[in-house]
Amino acid sequence: MENKKIFLIFGNPVSHSKSPLMHNYFFKKENINACYGRYLLTNGNEIISKFKELKINGANVTVPHKEWAYKEADEVRGIAKKIGAVNTLVNENGKIIGYNTDAEGFLEVIKEFNYKKVLIIGAGGTAKALSFVLPKANILNRSEERLKDFQEKVTFTWNNINNFDYDLIINTTSAGLNDDNLPAPAIILEKLFKKARYAVDVIYGKETPFLKLAKKYNLITKSGIDMLVYQGVMAMEYFLGKKLNRKKVAEIYFEILKG
Ligand SMILES: NC(=O)c1ccc[n+]([C@@H]2O[C@H](COP(=O)([O-])OP(=O)(O)OC[C@H]3O[C@@H](n4cnc5c(N)ncnc54)[C@H](OP(=O)(O)O)[C@@H]3O)[C@@H](O)[C@H]2O)c1
């Protein structure tokens, strides 16, 4: 029998992560001889030495270590090179390769949407990652400071937004995560939702005020659970070194997360 493969997630904190639940359920369902754990890592600069010391086959990386994983990986491939952050590490014959499946997973979520004009709300790490896979998107942020990171983009703050014509509105802020805030004033969102067809939130675990409002305007919506699932499906493709039937694997992940 083949040796058991070991995977884990590095983060700080890491106890809240749904990745072990998702991936272990998949291994069990598919009869794959592997297991997936979590590792509380304090010093991000030790991520690759820990990976090698633990002799694991692959890992995911969550807050706040994604930039460290990018810096320390033996090689970085794909969109992760542009984003500057790695959320998936794979052991390829002793060489630790870094990928970013957050942004790729997001594209998979909106694959069936028919959109041209996109507005990203927020200007933090998630907005940055998504802006690489949605290069024509405009950005709306509460304050000016972080918009400096989006020099080549059309950007607005709440005070100067003058374009409300978008098909797809994405909330990447943490507004609504631990409170009932909207990511922008209702008057702005209502003008946007009147014209838009789709609204996606990256927050998961609850229906946010942003998505509740979008539903009032009959928009087609997706929550952060979809992004979580698809970043996991794509990470699994890297872990197993093969293409998967993404829709089918996603259904397995949804099954355990919703249950
Ligand atoms: N579903 C998934 O798989 C997934 C993956 C990654 C992240 N996420 C979620 O994405 C969210 C953002 O993470 P991040 O790492 O990108 O955060 P971040 O880098 O800290 O950026 C936070 C952004 O949110 C804005 N913001 C915060 N509170 C706000 C409020 N009350 N009203 C309006 N804007 C507000 C900030 O605006 P200012 O610049 O004005 O401060 C900033 O643009 C988190 O909720 C995280 O859980 C989900």
Side-chain angles (χ1 to χ4, degrees), residues 22 105-106 109 171 199-208 210-211 221-231 254 257:
M22 279 161 52
F106 187 85
V109 170
N171 175 34
V200 181
D201 204 319
V202 303
I203 293 172
Y204 61 85
K206 67 181 279 197
E207 185 172 57
T208 56
F210 172 78
L211 287 189
T221 60
K222 296 237 180 182
S223 78
I225 205 89
D226 294 76
M227 181 176 173
L228 177 75
V229 161
Y230 277 101
Q231 65 75 29
F254 280 125
L257 287 172

Side-chain angles (χ1 to χ4, degrees), residues 122-127 141-143 146 158 172-175 177 181-183 202-204 224 227-228 231:
T126 310
N141 198 41
R142 175 176 61 178
S143 55
R146 288 191 228 226
W158 297 356
T172 71
T173 76
S174 42
L177 179 65
N181 291 334
L182 287 165
V202 303
I203 293 172
Y204 61 85
M227 181 176 173
L228 177 75
Q231 65 75 29

